[in-house]
Amino acid sequence: MSEPRKRVLLAKPRGYCAGVDRAVQTVEEALKLYGAPVYVRKQIVHNKHVVSTLEAAGAIFVEENEEVPEGSTVVFSAHGVAPEVHEQAKERNLKAIDATCPLVTKVHHEAKRFAKDDYDILLIGHEGHEEVIGTSGEAPAHIQLVDGPDAVDQVVVRDPAKVVWLSQTTLSVDETMETVARLKTRLPLLQSPPSDDICYATSNRQHVVKEIAPECDVVIVVGSTNSSNSVRLVEVALTAGARAGHLVDYASEIQEEWLEGATTVGVSSGASVPDDLVMEVLAFLAERGFGEVTEFTTAEERLTFSLPQELRRDMKKAAASS
């Protein structure tokens, strides 16, 4: 009897989104322009490989501004920071370059606007995630965190007619909608954000994984364990019908037993993952007989963001004086 045909369903879109691309490029350009070291507060994006590559190029990652020598250059990560972080940078005379993803900045603006109008803001997100800390810092007196559907019963608001929900940009679309639905049964007048807070890239990557998952014996997502959107992709794959799902930083982490008896393997990657890591996974699978790769596309992404204005200004100056 002939061997069953082995194949890979490769998800597209996958990997870098516009916000990650911009953040990584910001650190690379800052290193070129100002020379090493350039300090970066928190991981620029949640990916082990990206961080170690930038470290090798001269970036120094720190947890807080206090660790940055006075007068140095510091880049704020794509996940956004609270206003007090900008204040601390000023106090230490740091040259701050803000690489916050513009889609996260949009949520910050929404938080400020609703707080100014004295709304209670229910922020759907994961406790302790940098993006949640940054957004909450915009209006701490008005924002309360709702960490998933099970946290809905603990919500207390001042006026049920003046409540709005916002969300972290990297959540599971389905779980967020379930949380919103539960909130609305308790708070029928709950308002929604003016436009969807979950970023287009997160939604797109989840959508294509949902499409391929039912056909897959196993779905391998390339991404780091602290990357919210990567972790969500594995959950989405399993919920949508994949028999198994695993998160790996590198092809070398794939365990042979995951592939035993498998004929169809799905492959995707989180929004902070360079595509060469995905290509290494495909090469690993090809060596084990999974040479047939079908790319499954559900959306074309063309969005790009310009670099932070502080950096663009300095790049222009440098170009003019050279």
Side-chain angles (χ1 to χ4, degrees), residues 2 18 43 54 71 91 94 103 107 109 120 134 139 148 150 159 162 176 179 187 215 220 224 242 247 249:
S2 67
Q43 291 193 354
L54 291 171
E91 283 162 21
L94 302 178
L103 298 177
V107 181
H109 288 325
D120 278 351
D150 295 339
D159 177 356
K162 283 196 83 170
T176 302
T179 306
L187 301 160
E215 292 185 53
I220 292 170
S224 294
L247 185 66
D249 267 297

Side-chain angles (χ1 to χ4, degrees), residues 122 155 157 160 163 182-191:
L122 306 179
V155 169
V157 298
V163 192
R182 281 215 210 172
L183 284 168
K184 281 190 171 160
T185 56
R186 288 199 56 205
L187 301 160
L189 299 175
L190 178 71
Q191 291 190 32

Side-chain angles (χ1 to χ4, degrees), residues 10 23 88 90 101 132 142 152 189 199 215 221 225 256 268:
L10 178 61
Q88 293 161 356
K90 275 195 195 115
C101 171
V132 163
H142 289 264
V152 167
L189 299 175
C199 96
E215 292 185 53
V221 174
T225 50
E256 301 289 349
S268 185

Side-chain angles (χ1 to χ4, degrees), residues 141-171:
H142 289 264
I143 292 177
Q144 55 183 307
L145 182 65
V146 183
D147 195 341
D150 295 339
V152 167
D153 294 341
Q154 283 87 61
V155 169
V156 180
V157 298
R158 294 169 301 159
D159 177 356
K162 283 196 83 170
V163 192
V164 64
W165 69 270
L166 302 176
S167 85
Q168 184 182 327
T169 61
T170 53
L171 299 178

Side-chain angles (χ1 to χ4, degrees), residues 41-42 46 63-64 79-80 123-136 145-147 168 226 228:
R41 185 185 176 278
K42 307 285 184 193
H46 286 157
E63 282 301 301
E64 297 300 343
H79 308 104
L123 178 61
I124 301 171
H126 295 302
E127 180 139 22
H129 190 280
E130 281 153 47
E131 189 187 319
V132 163
I133 294 166
T135 303
S136 301
L145 182 65
V146 183
D147 195 341
Q168 184 182 327
N226 65 337
S228 174

Side-chain angles (χ1 to χ4, degrees), residues 14-156:
R14 63 178 178 277
Y16 270 17
C17 60
V20 164
D21 201 21
R22 172 184 188 260
V24 174
Q25 221 187 320
T26 296
V27 179
E28 291 169 345
E29 292 296 339
L31 283 164
K32 271 189 228 165
L33 191 60
Y34 311 120
V38 163
Y39 292 84
V40 183
R41 185 185 176 278
K42 307 285 184 193
Q43 291 193 354
I44 186 70
V45 296
H46 286 157
N47 184 265
K48 212 192 253 184
H49 179 76
V50 170
V51 168
S52 57
T53 305
L54 291 171
E55 275 176 336
I60 295 176
F61 290 87
V62 297
E63 282 301 301
E64 297 300 343
N65 285 337
E66 293 86 81
E67 298 166 64
V68 181
E70 294 218 3
S72 301
T73 299
V74 65
V75 177
F76 296 147
S77 83
H79 308 104
V81 295
E84 66 199 37
V85 176
H86 287 280
E87 290 307 313
Q88 293 161 356
K90 275 195 195 115
E91 283 162 21
R92 294 185 62 76
N93 190 26
L94 302 178
K95 179 181 190 56
I97 296 169
D98 191 353
T100 301
C101 171
L103 298 177
V104 174
T105 303
K106 175 182 83 77
V107 181
H108 282 224
H109 288 325
E110 289 169 356
K112 283 189 283 199
R113 184 159 66 80
F114 284 109
K116 192 163 156 269
D117 293 339
D118 202 30
Y119 273 74
D120 278 351
I121 299 164
L122 306 179
L123 178 61
I124 301 171
H126 295 302
E127 180 139 22
H129 190 280
E130 281 153 47
E131 189 187 319
V132 163
I133 294 166
T135 303
S136 301
E138 293 288 0
H142 289 264
I143 292 177
Q144 55 183 307
L145 182 65
V146 183
D147 195 341
D150 295 339
V152 167
D153 294 341
Q154 283 87 61
V155 169
V156 180

